[in-house]
Amino acid sequence: MELSVQLAPKHKSGLLLANPVMTAAGTFGYGTEYSHMFDIQRLGAIVCKGTTLEPKEGNPQPRLAETASGLLNSIGLQNIGVKALIKEKAPLWTSWRVPVIVNIAGETVDDYAQLANELDGVAGISGIEVNISCPNVKAGGAEFGTNPESAARVTTAVKSATSLPILVKLTPNTSDIVKIATAVAEAGADAISLINTLKGMVIDINERRPLLGSKTGGLSGPAIKPIALAMVYEVAGAIELPTIGCGGITTASDAIEFIMAGASAIQVGTASFTNPHAPLDILEGIERFMEKEGIKDIAEIIGVARR
Ligand SMILES: Cc1cc2nc3c(=O)[nH]c(=O)nc-3n(C[C@H](O)[C@H](O)[C@H](O)COP(=O)(O)O)c2cc1C
């Protein structure tokens, strides 16, 4: 059974995954946190926590709220910063079979370029995912992802600052995600991942004010799956690049829906909080489905629902 997928066909060294199951940024730490729970080397790729130039404390508490079939978070990119990532985390990844992709976020175009430049050539890092879609930071983040010109500017800057393959991660908090995807593709991205969280709010009626410390947060989990799926379907139909589907994927059948919509790979996010084995369970479920349906190569079903 052939499960491997190429996420950067236009890149000189490519980004070949042994299978299409990835973890989503910010929900799987640096991979190390989960390595004692299951064999994470079996996954297609690990996307690590969002990383900024300087370490970040994140937003005021509370930063998490459960909602109907979803999770609202306003972590605000709490992380150790790129220098500590390179010094403390990357060396651990060098012996891993599973490729590690570093998710980056900046407040300016220059921040993104500097991050990409620092990560260039670091052993243990196989690619960069550019987060132009975080709804939980005051400056930068999603601002870049809601405008085709600025999304393209960030993409071009990152592309020229690194020789690593780059994935650009889009926000659903925009009126025309296809326009953004097209601009990013034309600017030289190797692949596009979507979606990040949707902006949301919970109000504490006893306190009579928003529950989260930063008032609004990003909604993730099963509640957003149909939205993410429709966006993946649209974007995959509009661009030639591989797309990576993300948003509410909890079971293998969820993952297969995204693949049939056109995603070459998928990312598992919030599901890992309730079931830390979710990414592996999903991979094994995809394998069982392929066996049952007589599918020899995953490529046979990528985008099949579009034909
Ligand atoms: C607690 C939490 C932290 C996240 N941190 C990041 C991040 O640092 N960078 C990023 O691009 N996306 C981040 N995300 C978004 C996820 O990677 C994913 O795009 C989103 O949650 C939708 O997928 P899901 O419904 O499977 O969780 C975060 C999500 C959650 C729930």
Side-chain angles (χ1 to χ4, degrees), residues 24-27 48-51 64 71 73 75 77 103 129 131 133-134 169 195-197 218-222 224 246-249 267-271 273:
T27 63
C48 83
K49 225 171 166 58
T51 300
L64 287 175
L71 174 72
N73 93 82
I75 306 294
L77 296 177
N103 179 284
E129 183 178 62
N131 176 6
S133 45
C134 183
K169 184 165 174 184
I195 59 175
N196 209 312
T197 54
L219 184 65
S220 62
I224 71 168
C246 177
I249 297 173
Q267 296 180 348
V268 182
T270 302
F273 294 144

Side-chain angles (χ1 to χ4, degrees), residues 5 39 60 77 101 169-170 223 225 231 268 272 277 281 301:
V5 289
D39 184 8
L77 296 177
I101 295 166
K169 184 165 174 184
L170 305 185
K225 196 194 94 183
M231 289 184 166
V268 182
S272 291
H277 292 243
D281 291 351
I301 55 166

Side-chain angles (χ1 to χ4, degrees), residues 242-287:
T243 53
I244 300 153
C246 177
I249 297 173
T250 310
T251 63
S253 85
D254 293 339
I256 294 162
E257 282 189 67
F258 277 82
I259 292 167
M260 289 185 170
S264 298
I266 58 95
Q267 296 180 348
V268 182
T270 302
S272 291
F273 294 144
T274 41
N275 170 20
H277 292 243
L280 190 59
D281 291 351
I282 289 170
L283 172 59
E284 289 174 348
I286 294 173
E287 288 169 347

Side-chain angles (χ1 to χ4, degrees), residues 37-288:
M37 293 192 207
F38 67 92
D39 184 8
I40 62 168
Q41 305 301 329
R42 288 182 57 194
L43 299 178
I46 307 281
V47 180
C48 83
K49 225 171 166 58
T51 300
T52 50
L53 281 174
E54 300 302 328
K56 264 176 99 94
E57 295 277 331
N59 286 327
Q61 300 280 358
R63 310 196 288 196
L64 287 175
E66 266 192 63
T67 61
S69 301
L71 174 72
L72 198 64
N73 93 82
S74 61
I75 306 294
L77 296 177
Q78 178 183 20
N79 78 98
I80 59 176
V82 71
K83 288 198 171 57
L85 176 132
I86 291 169
K87 194 159 164 252
E88 295 160 25
K89 306 294 176 185
L92 306 171
W93 300 330
T94 54
S95 61
W96 291 11
R97 184 176 79 228
V98 59
V100 177
I101 295 166
V102 176
N103 179 284
I104 60 167
E107 292 183 5
T108 63
V109 174
D110 205 48
D111 283 0
Y112 282 97
Q114 219 178 307
L115 279 156
N117 188 41
E118 299 219 18
L119 296 169
D120 192 40
V122 175
I125 299 174
S126 298
I128 294 178
E129 183 178 62
V130 186
N131 176 6
I132 50 167
S133 45
C134 183
N136 299 324
V137 286
K138 282 202 192 75
E143 270 170 40
F144 293 109
T146 51
N147 173 297
E149 287 79 36
S150 50
R153 255 202 328 275
V154 173
T155 307
T156 308
V158 170
K159 192 74 194 164
S160 50
T162 182
S163 54
L164 286 165
I166 66 162
L167 284 44
V168 177
K169 184 165 174 184
L170 305 185
T171 175
N173 301 311
T174 169
S175 54
D176 191 349
I177 198 163
V178 170
K179 224 181 232 169
I180 311 278
T182 308
V184 164
E186 281 167 3
D190 292 296
I192 290 188
S193 45
L194 70 159
I195 59 175
N196 209 312
T197 54
L198 283 133
K199 188 172 176 177
M201 181 183 269
V202 169
I203 289 184
D204 180 333
I205 58 168
N206 297 313
E207 297 292 333
R208 303 182 177 194
R209 58 182 169 77
L211 188 144
L212 294 178
S214 56
K215 298 192 176 77
T216 60
L219 184 65
S220 62
I224 71 168
K225 196 194 94 183
I227 301 169
L229 193 57
M231 289 184 166
V232 167
Y233 188 94
E234 277 176 17
V235 167
I239 59 164
E240 294 293 323
L241 298 179
T243 53
I244 300 153
C246 177
I249 297 173
T250 310
T251 63
S253 85
D254 293 339
I256 294 162
E257 282 189 67
F258 277 82
I259 292 167
M260 289 185 170
S264 298
I266 58 95
Q267 296 180 348
V268 182
T270 302
S272 291
F273 294 144
T274 41
N275 170 20
H277 292 243
L280 190 59
D281 291 351
I282 289 170
L283 172 59
E284 289 174 348
I286 294 173
E287 288 169 347
R288 276 196 302 275

